[in-house]
Amino acid sequence: MTKYIKIFIVLLTLTACGQKETEKKTPENVNEKSAESEQKSDSEKVEKWTDSNGNVFIEKGNEISIIPAKYNKTGKTNKVFIYNETSNGIGIIGNLKIKPNEFKVFNLKDTDTLKLENGVKFMFGETYGLEVEDKKSQVSGLGGKYLDIYKVPDYAEWAFVIVPIGDGDE
């Protein structure tokens, strides 16, 4: 379970980093922020704010911690971008495959699970929203400049690349 929490925090961080500059949530522009500044010492300032999804961000110097809000499944459809960077096609269901160096964007309801034939699962958990089950370390979350490198469409809400076994995020 701690692996899933680590993966979620990495993915949430990458997703936040991958937003366009005008969309980036900061303490100054988050609608539902609760800005609390504490002065622990003259040089150490702690700021806290909450985004529109209820996630709590705590900034202390160069470190930002994220406390995710409880996720409530609603049947909402999310667009999940998956790029295959392996040398083999990855089967989804029936004849549907993601060929090498190809991507697909899946409309994934938050009540569903997307299972790939390589053992990777994308599903919405009871607590943390989109979770990835990746026992062979073959998924990496995309954010920042990698959204452009992999040509992730703007409408995609989540972005991942399938890599050779052992090369994924841990």
Side-chain angles (χ1 to χ4, degrees):
M1 184 66 182
T2 58
K3 181 177 181 181
Y4 296 125
I5 293 171
K6 287 179 188 176
I7 290 172
F8 173 76
I9 291 173
V10 168
L11 295 177
L12 186 60
T13 303
L14 290 173
T15 303
C17 292
Q19 293 177 350
K20 293 181 181 173
E21 191 63 30
T22 57
E23 298 172 347
K24 205 170 268 186
K25 290 180 170 75
T26 65
E28 291 79 25
N29 70 2
V30 172
N31 292 340
E32 299 163 15
K33 68 179 178 175
S34 61
E36 302 170 20
S37 296
E38 301 171 9
Q39 202 69 24
K40 297 227 177 191
S41 69
D42 291 340
S43 63
E44 190 175 307
K45 185 177 178 184
V46 176
E47 291 190 47
K48 296 180 184 179
W49 69 94
T50 304
D51 71 4
S52 60
N53 297 317
N55 300 304
V56 177
F57 293 77
I58 303 169
E59 183 175 10
K60 181 179 176 183
N62 291 333
E63 291 184 19
I64 297 179
S65 300
I66 303 168
I67 302 170
K70 181 167 174 66
Y71 184 77
N72 296 316
K73 293 182 181 186
T74 62
K76 176 186 173 211
T77 299
N78 295 268
K79 297 195 179 305
V80 180
F81 171 96
I82 301 175
Y83 185 93
N84 180 5
E85 199 172 77
T86 68
S87 58
N88 300 318
I90 299 171
I92 311 298
I93 189 170
N95 292 332
L96 179 60
K97 286 189 179 262
I98 306 174
K99 296 175 185 169
N101 300 314
E102 177 183 74
F103 73 86
K104 299 234 184 263
V105 177
F106 295 89
N107 291 316
L108 182 62
K109 284 189 177 182
D110 66 4
T111 55
D112 294 337
T113 298
L114 175 62
K115 296 178 186 177
L116 308 181
E117 77 176 11
N118 64 354
V120 173
K121 289 185 200 175
F122 296 90
M123 67 251 162
F124 285 83
E126 297 298 323
T127 307
Y128 297 113
L130 185 64
E131 296 178 5
V132 179
E133 184 177 296
D134 177 20
K135 295 179 181 177
K136 298 177 186 173
S137 188
Q138 50 193 331
V139 177
S140 288
L142 296 176
K145 67 181 181 182
Y146 295 101
L147 295 173
D148 292 330
I149 291 170
Y150 286 93
K151 297 182 175 93
V152 177
D154 288 339
Y155 59 84
E157 297 163 288
W158 302 91
F160 302 93
V161 61
I162 306 295
V163 295
I165 293 174
D167 290 348
D169 296 336
E170 292 194 31

